[in-house]
Amino acid sequence: MLENTAVISNGVGLHARPAARLVETAMRFKSDVILLHGGMTINAKSAFSVLSGNVRGGSEVVVRVEGSDEEEAMAAVMACLRNLPNE
């Protein structure tokens, strides 16, 4: 299991298009991808879960990845979170 901390880089947070981009990225991997934010556990492979997490721009989240391709998944998810669109 890998864990890393990320700050949501865009102004709108994980809403609509940014959330969809994160889910698309996480779905490319076999590993489980979880975000921890505000006492919530958010499944990054579920658009409903990501949108329900109410993660705003500038928020800090813990990214937890576990599985056979966890290193690649963590790198891709962290890159995605650093480059989210402001849409």
Side-chain angles (χ1 to χ4, degrees):
M1 177 177 66
L2 300 176
E3 235 179 58
N4 209 335
T5 302
V7 175
I8 303 305
S9 61
N10 66 358
V12 298
L14 293 179
H15 299 284
R17 289 188 183 135
R21 183 172 289 180
L22 174 61
V23 170
E24 287 173 11
T25 300
M27 290 292 291
R28 294 191 335 236
F29 301 95
K30 293 178 183 176
S31 295
D32 293 327
V33 181
I34 302 296
L35 303 180
L36 304 173
H37 172 71
M40 294 183 69
T41 300
I42 301 165
N43 178 357
K45 292 184 175 185
S46 163
F48 179 76
S49 183
V50 173
L51 291 170
S52 297
N54 196 31
V55 180
R56 299 177 189 270
S59 297
E60 187 173 276
V61 296
V62 174
V63 180
R64 183 179 293 160
V65 181
E66 185 172 7
S68 60
D69 54 359
E70 62 189 20
E71 290 180 10
E72 298 88 355
M74 178 64 83
V77 168
M78 292 300 290
C80 177
L81 292 175
R82 281 191 298 269
N83 299 300
L84 289 171
N86 272 318
E87 305 175 325

Coordinates of all heavy atoms in Angstrom, one line a residue:
M1 N 0.8 -1.2 0.0 CA 0.0 0.0 0.0 C 0.9 1.2 0.0 O 1.9 1.3 0.7 CB -0.9 0.0 1.2 CG -1.7 1.3 1.3 SD -2.9 1.3 2.7 CE -1.8 1.3 4.1
L2 N 0.5 2.2 -0.8 CA 1.2 3.5 -0.9 C 0.3 4.6 -0.4 O -0.9 4.5 -0.7 CB 1.7 3.8 -2.3 CG 2.6 2.8 -3.0 CD1 2.9 3.2 -4.4 CD2 3.9 2.7 -2.2
E3 N 0.9 5.6 0.2 CA 0.1 6.7 0.6 C 0.8 8.0 0.3 O 2.1 8.0 0.5 CB -0.2 6.7 2.1 CG -1.6 6.7 2.5 CD -1.9 6.6 4.0 OE1 -1.4 7.5 4.7 OE2 -2.6 5.7 4.3
N4 N 0.1 9.0 -0.1 CA 0.7 10.3 -0.4 C -0.3 11.4 -0.2 O -1.5 11.1 -0.1 CB 1.1 10.3 -1.9 CG 2.3 11.2 -2.2 OD1 2.6 12.1 -1.4 ND2 3.0 10.9 -3.2
T5 N 0.2 12.6 0.0 CA -0.7 13.7 0.3 C -0.7 14.7 -0.9 O 0.4 14.9 -1.5 CB -0.3 14.5 1.5 OG1 -0.3 13.6 2.6 CG2 -1.2 15.6 1.8
A6 N -1.9 15.1 -1.3 CA -2.0 16.1 -2.4 C -2.9 17.2 -2.1 O -3.8 17.1 -1.3 CB -2.6 15.3 -3.6
V7 N -2.6 18.4 -2.7 CA -3.5 19.5 -2.5 C -4.2 19.7 -3.9 O -3.6 19.6 -4.9 CB -2.6 20.8 -2.2 CG1 -3.5 22.0 -2.2 CG2 -1.9 20.6 -0.9
I8 N -5.5 19.8 -3.8 CA -6.3 19.9 -5.0 C -5.9 21.3 -5.7 O -6.1 22.3 -5.1 CB -7.8 19.8 -4.7 CG1 -8.1 18.5 -4.0 CG2 -8.6 20.0 -6.0 CD1 -7.6 17.3 -4.7
S9 N -5.4 21.2 -6.9 CA -4.7 22.3 -7.5 C -5.7 23.3 -8.2 O -5.2 24.4 -8.5 CB -3.7 21.8 -8.5 OG -4.4 21.1 -9.5
N10 N -6.9 23.0 -8.5 CA -7.7 23.9 -9.2 C -8.6 24.6 -8.2 O -8.8 24.3 -7.1 CB -8.5 23.2 -10.3 CG -9.5 22.2 -9.7 OD1 -9.6 22.0 -8.5 ND2 -10.3 21.6 -10.5
G11 N -9.3 25.7 -8.7 CA -10.2 26.5 -7.9 C -11.5 25.9 -7.6 O -12.1 26.2 -6.5
V12 N -12.0 25.0 -8.4 CA -13.4 24.5 -8.2 C -13.4 23.2 -7.4 O -14.5 22.8 -7.0 CB -14.1 24.3 -9.6 CG1 -14.2 25.6 -10.3 CG2 -13.4 23.3 -10.5
G13 N -12.3 22.5 -7.3 CA -12.3 21.3 -6.5 C -12.7 20.1 -7.4 O -12.6 20.2 -8.6
L14 N -13.1 19.0 -6.8 CA -13.5 17.8 -7.5 C -14.9 17.8 -7.9 O -15.7 17.1 -7.3 CB -13.1 16.6 -6.7 CG -11.6 16.4 -6.5 CD1 -11.3 15.1 -5.7 CD2 -10.9 16.2 -7.8
H15 N -15.3 18.6 -8.8 CA -16.7 18.7 -9.3 C -16.7 18.4 -10.8 O -15.7 18.7 -11.5 CB -17.2 20.1 -9.1 CG -17.3 20.5 -7.6 ND1 -18.2 20.0 -6.8 CD2 -16.5 21.3 -6.9 CE1 -18.0 20.5 -5.6 NE2 -16.9 21.2 -5.6
A16 N -17.7 17.8 -11.3 CA -18.0 17.5 -12.7 C -16.8 17.1 -13.5 O -16.3 16.0 -13.3 CB -18.7 18.7 -13.3
R17 N -16.2 17.9 -14.3 CA -15.1 17.5 -15.2 C -13.9 17.1 -14.5 O -13.3 16.1 -14.8 CB -14.9 18.6 -16.2 CG -16.0 18.7 -17.3 CD -15.6 19.7 -18.4 NE -16.7 19.8 -19.3 CZ -17.2 20.9 -19.8 NH1 -16.5 22.0 -19.5 NH2 -18.2 20.9 -20.6
P18 N -13.4 17.9 -13.5 CA -12.2 17.4 -12.7 C -12.5 16.0 -12.1 O -11.6 15.2 -12.1 CB -12.0 18.5 -11.7 CG -12.6 19.7 -12.3 CD -13.8 19.2 -13.0
A19 N -13.6 15.8 -11.5 CA -14.0 14.5 -10.9 C -13.9 13.4 -12.0 O -13.4 12.3 -11.8 CB -15.3 14.5 -10.2
A20 N -14.5 13.7 -13.2 CA -14.5 12.7 -14.2 C -13.1 12.4 -14.7 O -12.8 11.2 -14.9 CB -15.3 13.3 -15.4
R21 N -12.2 13.4 -14.8 CA -10.9 13.1 -15.1 C -10.2 12.2 -14.1 O -9.4 11.3 -14.5 CB -10.1 14.4 -15.3 CG -8.7 14.2 -15.8 CD -8.0 15.5 -16.1 NE -8.5 16.0 -17.3 CZ -8.1 17.2 -17.9 NH1 -7.2 17.9 -17.3 NH2 -8.7 17.6 -19.0
L22 N -10.4 12.5 -12.8 CA -9.8 11.7 -11.8 C -10.3 10.2 -11.9 O -9.5 9.3 -11.8 CB -10.1 12.2 -10.4 CG -9.7 11.4 -9.2 CD1 -8.2 11.2 -9.2 CD2 -10.2 12.0 -7.9
V23 N -11.6 10.0 -12.1 CA -12.2 8.7 -12.2 C -11.6 8.0 -13.4 O -11.2 6.8 -13.3 CB -13.7 8.8 -12.2 CG1 -14.3 7.4 -12.5 CG2 -14.3 9.3 -10.9
E24 N -11.5 8.6 -14.5 CA -11.0 8.0 -15.7 C -9.5 7.6 -15.5 O -9.1 6.5 -15.9 CB -11.0 9.0 -16.9 CG -12.3 9.3 -17.5 CD -12.3 10.4 -18.5 OE1 -11.2 10.8 -18.9 OE2 -13.4 10.8 -18.9
T25 N -8.8 8.4 -14.8 CA -7.4 8.0 -14.5 C -7.3 6.8 -13.6 O -6.6 5.9 -13.8 CB -6.6 9.2 -13.8 OG1 -6.7 10.3 -14.7 CG2 -5.2 8.9 -13.5
A26 N -8.1 6.8 -12.5 CA -8.1 5.7 -11.5 C -8.5 4.4 -12.1 O -8.0 3.4 -11.8 CB -8.9 6.1 -10.3
M27 N -9.5 4.5 -13.0 CA -10.1 3.3 -13.6 C -9.1 2.6 -14.6 O -9.3 1.4 -14.9 CB -11.3 3.6 -14.4 CG -12.5 4.0 -13.6 SD -13.2 2.7 -12.6 CE -13.9 1.7 -13.9
R28 N -8.0 3.2 -15.0 CA -7.0 2.6 -15.8 C -6.2 1.5 -15.1 O -5.5 0.8 -15.8 CB -6.1 3.6 -16.4 CG -6.7 4.6 -17.3 CD -5.7 5.5 -18.1 NE -4.4 5.7 -17.5 CZ -3.9 6.9 -17.2 NH1 -4.6 8.0 -17.5 NH2 -2.7 6.9 -16.7
F29 N -6.3 1.5 -13.8 CA -5.5 0.6 -13.0 C -6.3 -0.5 -12.2 O -7.4 -0.2 -11.9 CB -4.6 1.4 -12.0 CG -3.8 2.4 -12.8 CD1 -4.2 3.7 -12.9 CD2 -2.6 2.1 -13.3 CE1 -3.4 4.7 -13.6 CE2 -1.8 3.0 -14.0 CZ -2.2 4.3 -14.2
K30 N -5.6 -1.6 -12.0 CA -6.3 -2.6 -11.2 C -6.3 -2.3 -9.7 O -7.2 -2.7 -9.0 CB -5.5 -4.0 -11.3 CG -5.6 -4.5 -12.7 CD -4.7 -5.8 -12.9 CE -4.8 -6.3 -14.3 NZ -3.9 -7.4 -14.5
S31 N -5.4 -1.5 -9.2 CA -5.3 -1.2 -7.8 C -6.5 -0.4 -7.3 O -7.1 0.4 -8.1 CB -4.0 -0.3 -7.6 OG -2.9 -1.0 -7.8
D32 N -6.8 -0.5 -6.0 CA -7.8 0.3 -5.4 C -7.2 1.7 -5.2 O -6.0 1.8 -4.8 CB -8.2 -0.3 -4.1 CG -8.9 -1.6 -4.2 OD1 -9.6 -1.8 -5.2 OD2 -8.7 -2.4 -3.3
V33 N -8.0 2.7 -5.5 CA -7.5 4.1 -5.3 C -8.5 4.8 -4.4 O -9.7 4.9 -4.8 CB -7.4 4.9 -6.6 CG1 -6.9 6.3 -6.4 CG2 -6.5 4.1 -7.6
I34 N -8.1 5.2 -3.2 CA -8.9 5.8 -2.2 C -8.4 7.2 -1.9 O -7.2 7.4 -1.8 CB -8.9 5.0 -0.9 CG1 -9.4 3.6 -1.2 CG2 -9.7 5.6 0.2 CD1 -10.8 3.5 -1.7
L35 N -9.3 8.2 -1.7 CA -9.0 9.5 -1.2 C -9.5 9.6 0.2 O -10.7 9.2 0.4 CB -9.6 10.6 -2.1 CG -9.2 10.6 -3.5 CD1 -9.9 11.8 -4.2 CD2 -7.7 10.7 -3.8
L36 N -8.8 10.2 1.1 CA -9.2 10.4 2.5 C -9.3 11.9 2.6 O -8.3 12.6 2.4 CB -8.3 9.8 3.5 CG -8.0 8.3 3.3 CD1 -6.9 7.9 4.3 CD2 -9.3 7.5 3.5
H37 N -10.5 12.4 3.0 CA -10.7 13.9 3.1 C -11.9 14.1 4.1 O -13.0 13.6 4.0 CB -11.1 14.4 1.7 CG -11.5 15.9 1.8 ND1 -10.6 16.9 2.0 CD2 -12.7 16.4 1.6 CE1 -11.3 18.0 2.0 NE2 -12.6 17.8 1.8
G38 N -11.6 15.0 5.1 CA -12.6 15.4 6.0 C -13.3 14.2 6.7 O -14.5 14.3 6.9
G39 N -12.6 13.2 7.0 CA -13.2 12.0 7.7 C -13.9 11.1 6.8 O -14.5 10.1 7.2
M40 N -13.9 11.4 5.5 CA -14.6 10.5 4.5 C -13.5 9.7 3.8 O -12.4 10.1 3.5 CB -15.3 11.3 3.5 CG -16.5 12.1 4.1 SD -17.4 13.0 2.8 CE -18.1 11.6 1.9
T41 N -14.0 8.5 3.4 CA -13.2 7.6 2.5 C -13.9 7.6 1.1 O -15.1 7.3 1.0 CB -13.2 6.2 3.1 OG1 -12.6 6.2 4.4 CG2 -12.4 5.2 2.1
I42 N -13.2 8.1 0.1 CA -13.7 8.3 -1.2 C -13.1 7.4 -2.2 O -11.9 7.3 -2.4 CB -13.4 9.8 -1.6 CG1 -14.1 10.8 -0.6 CG2 -14.0 10.0 -3.1 CD1 -13.5 12.2 -0.8
N43 N -13.9 6.6 -2.8 CA -13.5 5.7 -3.9 C -13.2 6.5 -5.2 O -14.2 7.0 -5.8 CB -14.5 4.6 -4.1 CG -14.2 3.6 -5.2 OD1 -13.1 3.7 -5.9 ND2 -15.0 2.6 -5.4
A44 N -12.0 6.6 -5.6 CA -11.7 7.4 -6.7 C -12.1 6.8 -8.1 O -12.0 7.4 -9.1 CB -10.2 7.7 -6.8
K45 N -12.6 5.6 -8.0 CA -13.1 4.9 -9.2 C -14.6 5.1 -9.4 O -15.2 4.6 -10.3 CB -12.7 3.4 -9.2 CG -11.2 3.2 -9.4 CD -10.9 1.7 -9.5 CE -9.4 1.5 -9.7 NZ -9.1 0.1 -9.9
S46 N -15.2 5.8 -8.5 CA -16.7 6.0 -8.5 C -17.0 7.5 -8.6 O -16.6 8.3 -7.7 CB -17.3 5.5 -7.2 OG -18.6 6.0 -7.0
A47 N -17.6 7.9 -9.7 CA -17.9 9.4 -9.8 C -18.8 9.8 -8.7 O -18.7 10.9 -8.2 CB -18.6 9.6 -11.2
F48 N -19.8 9.0 -8.3 CA -20.7 9.4 -7.2 C -19.9 9.6 -6.0 O -20.2 10.6 -5.3 CB -21.8 8.3 -7.0 CG -22.7 8.6 -5.9 CD1 -23.7 9.5 -6.1 CD2 -22.6 8.0 -4.7 CE1 -24.6 9.8 -5.1 CE2 -23.4 8.3 -3.7 CZ -24.5 9.2 -3.8
S49 N -19.0 8.7 -5.6 CA -18.2 8.8 -4.4 C -17.4 10.1 -4.4 O -17.3 10.9 -3.5 CB -17.3 7.6 -4.2 OG -16.6 7.7 -3.0
V50 N -16.7 10.4 -5.6 CA -15.9 11.5 -5.7 C -16.7 12.8 -5.6 O -16.3 13.7 -4.8 CB -15.1 11.5 -7.0 CG1 -14.3 12.8 -7.2 CG2 -14.1 10.4 -7.1
L51 N -17.8 12.9 -6.2 CA -18.7 14.1 -6.2 C -19.2 14.3 -4.8 O -19.4 15.4 -4.3 CB -19.8 14.0 -7.2 CG -19.3 14.1 -8.7 CD1 -20.4 13.8 -9.6 CD2 -18.7 15.5 -8.9
S52 N -19.6 13.2 -4.1 CA -20.1 13.2 -2.8 C -19.1 13.6 -1.7 O -19.5 14.1 -0.6 CB -20.7 11.9 -2.3 OG -21.8 11.5 -3.2
G53 N -17.8 13.5 -2.0 CA -16.8 13.9 -1.1 C -16.7 15.4 -0.8 O -16.0 15.8 0.1
N54 N -17.3 16.2 -1.7 CA -17.3 17.7 -1.5 C -15.9 18.2 -1.3 O -15.6 19.0 -0.4 CB -18.2 18.1 -0.4 CG -18.6 19.5 -0.4 OD1 -18.6 20.1 -1.4 ND2 -18.8 20.1 0.8
V55 N -14.9 17.8 -2.2 CA -13.5 18.2 -2.0 C -13.4 19.5 -2.8 O -13.6 19.6 -4.0 CB -12.6 17.2 -2.6 CG1 -11.1 17.6 -2.5 CG2 -12.8 15.8 -1.9
R56 N -13.1 20.6 -2.1 CA -13.0 21.9 -2.7 C -11.5 22.2 -3.1 O -10.6 21.6 -2.6 CB -13.4 23.0 -1.7 CG -14.9 22.8 -1.3 CD -15.3 23.8 -0.3 NE -16.6 23.5 0.3 CZ -17.7 24.0 -0.2 NH1 -17.7 24.7 -1.3 NH2 -18.9 23.6 0.3
G57 N -11.4 23.2 -4.0 CA -10.1 23.6 -4.4 C -9.2 24.1 -3.3 O -9.7 24.7 -2.4
G58 N -8.0 23.7 -3.3 CA -7.0 24.0 -2.2 C -7.1 23.1 -1.0 O -6.2 23.2 -0.1
S59 N -8.0 22.1 -1.0 CA -8.1 21.1 0.0 C -7.0 20.1 -0.1 O -6.5 19.8 -1.1 CB -9.4 20.3 -0.1 OG -10.5 21.2 0.1
E60 N -6.6 19.6 1.1 CA -5.6 18.6 1.2 C -6.3 17.2 1.3 O -7.2 17.1 2.0 CB -4.7 18.8 2.4 CG -3.5 17.9 2.4 CD -2.5 18.2 3.5 OE1 -1.7 19.1 3.3 OE2 -2.7 17.6 4.6
V61 N -5.8 16.3 0.5 CA -6.4 14.9 0.5 C -5.2 13.9 0.7 O -4.1 14.2 0.2 CB -7.2 14.5 -0.7 CG1 -8.4 15.4 -0.8 CG2 -6.4 14.6 -2.0
V62 N -5.5 12.8 1.3 CA -4.6 11.7 1.4 C -5.0 10.7 0.3 O -6.1 10.3 0.2 CB -4.6 11.0 2.7 CG1 -3.7 9.8 2.7 CG2 -4.1 12.0 3.8
V63 N -4.0 10.3 -0.6 CA -4.3 9.4 -1.6 C -3.7 8.0 -1.2 O -2.5 8.0 -0.9 CB -3.6 9.8 -3.0 CG1 -3.9 8.8 -4.1 CG2 -4.1 11.2 -3.4
R64 N -4.5 7.0 -1.2 CA -4.1 5.7 -0.8 C -4.3 4.7 -1.9 O -5.4 4.6 -2.4 CB -4.9 5.2 0.5 CG -4.4 3.9 1.0 CD -5.2 3.5 2.2 NE -4.8 4.4 3.3 CZ -5.6 4.5 4.4 NH1 -6.8 3.9 4.5 NH2 -5.2 5.4 5.4
V65 N -3.3 4.0 -2.4 CA -3.4 3.1 -3.5 C -2.8 1.8 -3.1 O -1.8 1.7 -2.5 CB -2.5 3.7 -4.7 CG1 -2.7 2.7 -5.9 CG2 -3.0 5.1 -5.1
E66 N -3.6 0.7 -3.4 CA -3.2 -0.6 -3.0 C -3.5 -1.6 -4.1 O -4.7 -1.6 -4.6 CB -3.8 -1.1 -1.7 CG -3.4 -2.4 -1.2 CD -3.9 -2.7 0.2 OE1 -4.7 -2.0 0.7 OE2 -3.4 -3.7 0.7
G67 N -2.5 -2.4 -4.6 CA -2.8 -3.4 -5.6 C -1.5 -3.7 -6.4 O -0.4 -3.1 -6.1
S68 N -1.7 -4.5 -7.4 CA -0.6 -5.0 -8.2 C 0.2 -3.9 -9.0 O 1.3 -4.1 -9.3 CB -1.0 -6.1 -9.1 OG -2.0 -5.6 -10.0
D69 N -0.5 -2.8 -9.4 CA 0.1 -1.8 -10.1 C 0.1 -0.4 -9.4 O -0.1 0.6 -9.9 CB -0.6 -1.6 -11.5 CG -2.1 -1.4 -11.4 OD1 -2.6 -1.4 -10.3 OD2 -2.7 -1.3 -12.5
E70 N 0.2 -0.5 -8.1 CA 0.1 0.6 -7.2 C 1.1 1.8 -7.5 O 0.7 2.9 -7.4 CB 0.1 0.3 -5.7 CG 1.4 -0.4 -5.2 CD 1.3 -0.9 -3.8 OE1 0.2 -1.2 -3.3 OE2 2.4 -1.1 -3.2
E71 N 2.3 1.4 -7.9 CA 3.3 2.5 -8.1 C 2.9 3.3 -9.3 O 2.9 4.6 -9.3 CB 4.7 1.9 -8.3 CG 5.2 1.4 -7.0 CD 6.6 0.8 -7.1 OE1 7.2 1.0 -8.2 OE2 7.1 0.2 -6.2
E72 N 2.5 2.7 -10.4 CA 2.0 3.3 -11.6 C 0.7 4.1 -11.4 O 0.6 5.3 -11.8 CB 1.8 2.4 -12.8 CG 3.1 1.6 -13.2 CD 3.3 0.4 -12.4 OE1 2.6 0.0 -11.4 OE2 4.3 -0.4 -12.7
A73 N -0.2 3.5 -10.6 CA -1.4 4.2 -10.3 C -1.2 5.4 -9.5 O -1.8 6.5 -9.7 CB -2.4 3.2 -9.6
M74 N -0.4 5.3 -8.5 CA -0.1 6.5 -7.6 C 0.5 7.6 -8.4 O 0.1 8.8 -8.3 CB 0.9 6.1 -6.5 CG 1.2 7.3 -5.6 SD -0.2 8.0 -4.7 CE -0.3 6.9 -3.3
A75 N 1.5 7.3 -9.3 CA 2.1 8.4 -10.1 C 1.0 9.0 -11.0 O 1.0 10.3 -11.1 CB 3.2 7.8 -11.0
A76 N 0.2 8.3 -11.6 CA -0.8 8.8 -12.5 C -1.9 9.6 -11.8 O -2.3 10.7 -12.2 CB -1.5 7.7 -13.3
V77 N -2.3 9.2 -10.6 CA -3.3 9.9 -9.8 C -2.7 11.2 -9.3 O -3.4 12.2 -9.4 CB -3.9 9.0 -8.7 CG1 -4.7 9.8 -7.7 CG2 -4.7 7.9 -9.3
M78 N -1.5 11.2 -8.8 CA -0.9 12.4 -8.3 C -0.7 13.4 -9.4 O -1.0 14.6 -9.3 CB 0.4 12.1 -7.6 CG 0.3 11.3 -6.4 SD -0.7 12.1 -5.1 CE 0.4 13.4 -4.6
A79 N -0.3 13.0 -10.6 CA -0.2 13.9 -11.8 C -1.5 14.4 -12.1 O -1.6 15.6 -12.4 CB 0.4 13.1 -12.9
C80 N -2.6 13.6 -12.1 CA -3.9 14.1 -12.4 C -4.3 15.2 -11.4 O -4.8 16.2 -11.8 CB -4.9 12.9 -12.4 SG -6.6 13.4 -12.7
L81 N -4.1 14.9 -10.2 CA -4.6 15.9 -9.1 C -3.8 17.2 -9.2 O -4.3 18.3 -8.9 CB -4.4 15.3 -7.7 CG -5.3 14.1 -7.4 CD1 -5.0 13.5 -6.0 CD2 -6.8 14.6 -7.5
R82 N -2.5 17.1 -9.7 CA -1.7 18.3 -9.8 C -2.2 19.2 -11.0 O -1.9 20.4 -11.1 CB -0.3 18.0 -10.0 CG 0.4 17.7 -8.7 CD 2.0 17.6 -8.9 NE 2.4 16.5 -9.8 CZ 2.6 15.3 -9.4 NH1 2.6 14.9 -8.2 NH2 3.0 14.4 -10.3
N83 N -2.8 18.5 -12.0 CA -3.1 19.2 -13.3 C -4.6 19.2 -13.6 O -5.0 19.2 -14.7 CB -2.4 18.5 -14.4 CG -0.9 18.6 -14.2 OD1 -0.3 19.6 -14.2 ND2 -0.3 17.4 -14.1
L84 N -5.5 19.3 -12.6 CA -6.9 19.4 -12.8 C -7.3 20.6 -13.5 O -6.8 21.7 -13.2 CB -7.6 19.3 -11.4 CG -7.6 17.9 -10.7 CD1 -8.2 18.0 -9.3 CD2 -8.3 16.9 -11.5
P85 N -8.3 20.5 -14.4 CA -8.8 21.7 -15.1 C -9.7 22.6 -14.1 O -10.3 22.1 -13.2 CB -9.6 21.2 -16.2 CG -10.1 19.8 -15.7 CD -9.0 19.3 -14.8
N86 N -9.8 23.9 -14.4 CA -10.6 24.8 -13.7 C -12.0 24.9 -14.3 O -12.5 25.9 -14.6 CB -10.0 26.2 -13.6 CG -9.1 26.3 -12.4 OD1 -9.4 25.8 -11.3 ND2 -8.0 26.9 -12.6
E87 N -12.6 23.7 -14.6 CA -13.9 23.7 -15.3 C -15.0 23.2 -14.3 O -14.9 22.4 -13.6 CB -13.9 22.8 -16.5 CG -12.7 23.2 -17.4 CD -12.6 22.2 -18.6 OE1 -12.8 21.0 -18.4 OE2 -12.2 22.7 -19.6

